[in-house]
Amino acid sequence: MSSTNSGTPDGGPSPVGPLDPSALPLAIRAECERLLLPLPTGVEGGLAAYATRLWDWNERLNLTRHTDVERFVSRDVADAVAVAGHLAAGERVLDVGTGGGVPGVLLAILRPDLRVELSDSVAKKAKAVRAIVAEAGLSIPVHEGAAQELVSRRGEKDRFDALVIRAVAPLIKLLNWFEPLADHYGRMLIIKGPRWEEEKGEARHRGWVKRVTVRRVAAWPIRGSDNESVLLEVRRRETREPAPAPVSSHPPTSSPSPPSSAPPSPRKR
């Protein structure tokens, strides 16, 4: 397992090299502090346990390119921290196309109040992340199969409040998959890179943005580049019913009767 050490005296990232697993929690905490990422107290142990299992499984199955502390924190933890700030307490969250578990597993560690579930349509990835979660001592449901089917089966009592999506598909595909199911979940929170405006423009050109609102709600730098990641919130547009006619508070007044067209009655003599 390769990873960075905790840092250099000038505040830059430390050289890559072997790291004692027992030192990994402190290294993760130090890297978060260097990058000014707010980390809840006591979560570094869970992050380290997850990273260790993820990196071990990555040697058997390609799950991540972020196989050292610096990239794990600056890309994976940073993304999860950004998403966590836009989730209310106790929300039910589905990580769509979770791959190796990012950002869903990290959200469950950072925010234990959330009800996080993971899904992946690739059977071997779902199997791997299920093992990673168990080996890291976490209890997170993992679903194998298309997320659309999982979402469509949920009723009002167990519907997802948010679908969290990172590095799965272009925006127009995500809208095509999930917009028809909008009654089965609350909103989508989608992590995108520098092409997000181009993707939004394509979706608008195809008419999808008429049905939903797409808002950029957060942005943060991609370390080692001049680009930034953004968080898009996608919600179904509210349909406004026509306003009812105003009701008067005064009783209706009777209109004068029209003049009679009948001939006058003859007078008695």
Side-chain angles (χ1 to χ4, degrees):
M1 177 179 65
S2 65
S3 59
T4 60
N5 295 317
S6 58
T8 58
D10 61 0
S14 49
V16 176
L19 185 67
D20 181 351
S22 64
L24 186 54
L26 291 178
I28 290 174
R29 169 68 68 176
E31 187 67 11
C32 287
E33 291 176 352
R34 188 181 74 83
L35 298 179
L36 304 180
L37 287 177
L39 202 63
T41 302
V43 300
E44 55 268 33
L47 294 175
Y50 165 64
T52 300
R53 305 315 308 155
L54 173 63
W55 295 339
D56 285 348
W57 269 90
N58 198 58
E59 296 178 1
R60 289 169 266 176
L61 180 65
N62 184 25
L63 296 170
T64 181
R65 293 177 297 169
H66 307 152
T67 53
D68 57 62
V69 171
E70 182 187 356
R71 285 181 291 177
F72 174 69
V73 170
S74 66
R75 300 300 303 275
D76 298 339
V77 177
D79 286 359
V81 167
V83 174
H86 292 270
L87 293 168
E91 286 200 294
R92 189 185 298 275
V93 179
L94 177 66
D95 180 1
V96 175
T98 189
V102 178
V105 175
L106 298 176
L107 287 172
I109 295 170
L110 296 172
R111 291 279 307 277
D113 61 287
L114 299 174
R115 294 171 291 175
V116 177
E117 300 181 34
L118 314 175
S119 72
D120 206 289
S121 60
V122 180
K124 59 183 179 181
K125 289 186 177 180
K127 179 181 179 181
V129 77
R130 188 177 291 116
I132 291 169
V133 165
E135 292 168 9
L138 301 169
S139 179
I140 305 173
V142 180
H143 305 277
E144 178 185 327
Q148 301 96 300
E149 295 179 7
L150 174 62
V151 171
S152 67
R153 293 196 301 265
R154 293 300 175 99
E156 186 62 30
K157 291 184 178 180
D158 60 352
R159 72 197 290 268
F160 293 106
D161 299 296
L163 308 182
V164 175
I165 306 172
R166 185 182 89 154
V168 171
L171 180 61
I172 193 168
K173 281 191 175 182
L174 297 175
L175 294 176
N176 183 47
W177 294 339
F178 292 107
E179 192 276 340
L181 304 174
D183 291 338
H184 296 268
Y185 64 92
R187 66 200 185 283
M188 286 190 280
L189 293 173
I190 307 172
I191 299 171
K192 283 291 180 183
R195 292 188 62 251
W196 74 272
E197 289 182 291
E198 181 181 337
E199 292 187 23
K200 182 180 178 181
E202 182 185 2
R204 181 185 292 112
H205 178 70
R206 300 287 184 89
W208 284 101
V209 179
K210 293 179 181 178
R211 311 175 200 181
V212 298
T213 60
V214 181
R215 293 192 310 125
R216 188 186 78 161
V217 294
W220 58 100
I222 298 176
R223 305 293 172 178
S225 76
D226 295 328
N227 297 317
E228 65 179 10
S229 295
V230 301
L231 184 64
L232 303 180
E233 182 186 72
V234 179
R235 290 181 180 270
R236 192 170 189 173
R237 287 188 184 275
E238 297 291 337
T239 55
R240 294 184 177 181
E241 298 292 336
V247 178
S248 174
S249 59
H250 301 287
T253 57
S254 57
S255 56
S257 301
S260 174
S261 58
S265 300
R267 294 182 180 181
K268 292 182 179 180
R269 293 183 179 179

